[in-house]
């Protein structure tokens, strides 16, 4: 069973299943070059690929049940539904759970999943910080646990696991007065999940990631090179311009909104960008200011950016702030001629509410990115 709450998590479950299936075949990886699409993979319409003439069904097909713990956010739900179609096309079973549909929804969801979860021999999760997932982990008897990428949060998860710390998202400031009432209530669940995610002689733990991580003792790290994405889509048509990639650093309270907009404007001027690929969590008011005030075409992708970029068209240069895509896009776009650049976050942009860990974490995201070009801080004076 796999539990996902975001489109990127579901994409990485598909990548993990593709790799696991290929390596399960006699002789290891099989079939063609990484960039060659299987059959006709041209899109039928936005977000939904044409049924391939020759389906690449792995030995895991039909054996993997993907459970979507649906969030409230309509943009995320839309991307998840399209990703669920792709998962079904690969032969995987998908179960959509309105896990947050009302006061009784969590109890109904956990109750309905308890039986299949206890029987599952392998459990795959996309967000070890999720309280929902942590609760489900208390029920599993699986001998194999796999954590797939939920973006750069994977880096913090592995670090906290290695240090034996409580699992806390990097952008959340820690209360000076200790745990709040909700955290105290859920502390036993979080502690149980951390124990489940620590390997022992009865249970193995694998992290399937494209992030640079140092695994704790006993944890297996498997590299995610986006082989499924490259085998299914592209290579893309390239435009002559530059595309900017948005982040949710403002929405998570890390970066001041005015400083962020100034930096976007400066990057657009300096690099001749005309398009802005919005993060699914970016607020509509902020995006309206980017479109009307800065004159950029705001694109709301219907799929994770790795798939959108691989399908194209995409700019010859893609510029991002520190985020997941500075690690994943060079892999997904390998061999296409696209250059990925990252603009550092000036510490002066951080809000007073930002976590003390924010500056070091964001610097680490940039510093560990491979095959990207680093840009200096963008400011209003940039020309």
């Amino acid at each position: 069973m796999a539990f996902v709450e975001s489109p990127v998590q579901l994409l990485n479950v598909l990548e993990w299943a593709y790799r696991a299936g290929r390596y399960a075949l006699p002789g290891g990886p099989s079939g063609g070059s990484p960039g060659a699409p299987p059959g006709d993979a041209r899109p039928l319409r936005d977000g939904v690929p044409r049924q391939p003439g020759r389906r690449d069904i792995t030995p895991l097909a039909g054996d993997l049940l993907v459970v979507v713990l649906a969030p409230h956010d309509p943009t995320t739900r839309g991307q998840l539904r399209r990703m669920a179609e792709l998962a079904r096309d690969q032969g995987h079973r998908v179960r959509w759970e309105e896990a947050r549909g009302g006061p009784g929804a969590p109890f109904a969801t956990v109750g309905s999943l308890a039986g299949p979860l206890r029987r599952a021999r392998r459990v795959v999760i996309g967000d070890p910080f999720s309280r929902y997932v942590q609760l489900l982990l208390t029920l599993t008897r699986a001998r194999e646990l796999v954590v797939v990428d939920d973006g750069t949060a994977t880096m913090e998860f592995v670090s906290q696991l290695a240090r034996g710390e409580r699992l806390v998202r990097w952008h959340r400031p820690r209360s000076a007065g200790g745990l709040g009432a909700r955290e105290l209530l859920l502390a036993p669940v979080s502690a149980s999940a951390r124990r489940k995610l620590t390997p022992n002689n009865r249970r193995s733990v694998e992290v399937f990631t494209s992030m640079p991580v140092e695994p704790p003792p006993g944890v297996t790290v498997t590299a995610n090179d986006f082989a499924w994405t490259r085998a299914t889509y592209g290579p893309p048509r390239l435009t002559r311009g530059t595309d900017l990639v948005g982040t949710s650093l403002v929405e998570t309270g890390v970066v001041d909104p005015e400083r962020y907009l100034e930096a976007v404007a400066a990057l657009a001027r300096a690099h001749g960008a005309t398009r802005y690929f919005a993060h699914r969590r970016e607020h509509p008011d902020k995006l309206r200011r980017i479109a009307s005030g800065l004159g950029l075409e705001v694109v709301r992708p219907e799929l994770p950016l790795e798939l959108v970029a691989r399908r194209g068209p995409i700019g010859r240069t893609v510029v991002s702030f520190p985020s997941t895509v500075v690690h994943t896009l060079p892999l997904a776009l390998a061999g296409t001629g696209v250059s990925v650049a990252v603009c550092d976050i000036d510490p002066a942009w951080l809000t007073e509410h930002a976590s003390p860990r924010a500056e070091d974490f964001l610097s680490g995201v940039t510093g560990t990115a491979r095959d990207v070009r680093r840009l200096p801080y963008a400011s209003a004076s940039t020309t």
Side-chain angles (χ1 to χ4, degrees):
M1 294 181 72
F3 295 97
V4 299
E5 298 173 274
S6 78
V8 167
Q9 292 172 28
L10 184 42
L11 168 60
N12 288 315
V13 166
L14 293 182
E15 291 287 352
W16 169 81
Y18 180 76
R19 186 187 189 281
R22 293 172 75 209
Y23 277 81
L25 293 172
S30 63
S33 62
D40 182 5
R42 291 172 297 173
L44 179 64
R45 61 181 188 276
D46 277 352
V48 183
R50 185 182 299 278
Q51 175 74 28
R54 172 171 61 85
R55 296 177 70 186
D56 186 8
I57 299 299
T58 74
L60 291 179
D63 190 40
L64 175 63
L65 171 61
V66 180
V67 180
V68 179
L69 302 172
H72 291 300
D73 176 64
T75 302
T76 304
R77 288 171 67 90
Q79 287 192 8
L80 271 169
R81 289 199 181 278
R82 289 171 176 82
M83 287 303 303
E85 293 179 25
L86 298 185
R88 291 189 180 100
D89 183 61
Q90 293 299 301
H92 304 304
R93 294 174 292 148
V94 178
R95 177 169 168 170
W96 185 278
E97 288 285 341
E98 291 294 349
R100 298 167 174 84
F107 300 101
T109 297
V110 172
S112 67
L113 293 172
L117 181 55
R118 288 194 180 101
R119 293 190 296 270
R121 58 184 172 84
R122 181 188 285 160
V123 171
V124 184
I125 64 171
D127 182 6
F129 295 105
S130 166
R131 300 303 189 194
Y132 223 131
V133 168
Q134 290 177 1
L135 179 60
L136 290 167
L137 281 178
T138 65
L139 304 176
T140 184
R141 300 169 182 168
R143 297 183 64 86
E144 299 177 51
L145 293 180
V146 181
V147 179
V148 300
D149 269 338
D150 184 35
T152 52
T154 306
M155 300 165 67
E156 187 72 353
F157 160 68
V158 172
S159 296
Q160 290 179 11
L161 189 66
R163 296 191 297 263
E165 296 179 351
R166 185 167 56 95
L167 300 180
V168 180
R169 298 185 192 278
W170 69 268
H171 56 79
R172 288 186 179 170
R174 301 189 181 187
S175 172
L179 298 179
R182 184 171 182 270
E183 285 74 17
L184 280 173
L185 180 64
L186 294 171
V189 173
S190 180
S192 174
R194 189 178 66 246
R195 288 193 296 271
K196 285 287 179 72
L197 291 166
T198 302
N200 55 35
N201 58 1
R202 300 183 307 276
R203 181 176 54 254
S204 67
V205 177
E206 175 189 355
V207 177
F208 180 73
T209 179
S210 56
M211 304 293 145
V213 297
E214 289 292 333
V219 174
T220 300
V221 172
T222 305
N224 175 12
D225 62 358
F226 286 87
W228 177 78
T229 296
R230 289 183 287 111
T232 307
Y233 296 102
R237 179 173 65 85
L238 306 186
T239 69
R240 294 185 178 181
T242 296
D243 291 327
L244 299 183
V245 177
T247 76
S248 59
L249 291 173
V250 170
E251 285 70 20
T252 52
V254 175
V255 171
D256 177 82
E258 298 304 321
R259 294 295 186 94
Y260 182 84
L261 291 173
E262 289 175 3
V264 170
L267 286 173
R269 288 195 303 271
H271 299 279
T274 57
R275 292 195 301 179
Y276 180 93
F277 284 93
H279 188 280
R280 58 187 173 82
R281 290 180 181 166
E282 288 190 82
H283 197 278
D285 290 343
K286 186 179 79 173
L287 296 178
R288 278 193 287 270
R289 292 184 65 182
I290 290 173
S292 60
L294 306 183
L296 292 171
E297 177 190 356
V298 173
V299 179
R300 300 297 299 261
E302 295 188 334
L303 290 168
L305 187 59
E306 293 79 8
L307 298 183
V308 171
R310 186 72 196 183
R311 288 169 54 193
I314 191 72
R316 292 185 181 275
T317 300
V318 176
V319 177
S320 174
F321 296 103
S323 71
T324 302
V325 298
V326 303
H327 292 272
T328 59
L329 281 184
L331 296 171
L333 294 171
T336 64
V338 175
S339 171
V340 179
V342 56
C343 175
D344 284 315
I345 296 292
D346 189 328
W349 302 350
L350 302 180
T351 69
E352 61 181 9
H353 305 294
S355 166
R357 296 175 291 165
E359 183 177 343
D360 288 342
F361 182 82
L362 292 170
S363 176
V365 170
T366 299
T368 56
R370 300 176 294 268
D371 301 321
V372 300
R373 179 162 52 99
R374 294 188 66 169
L375 303 175
Y377 302 140
S379 65
S381 62
T382 302
T383 57

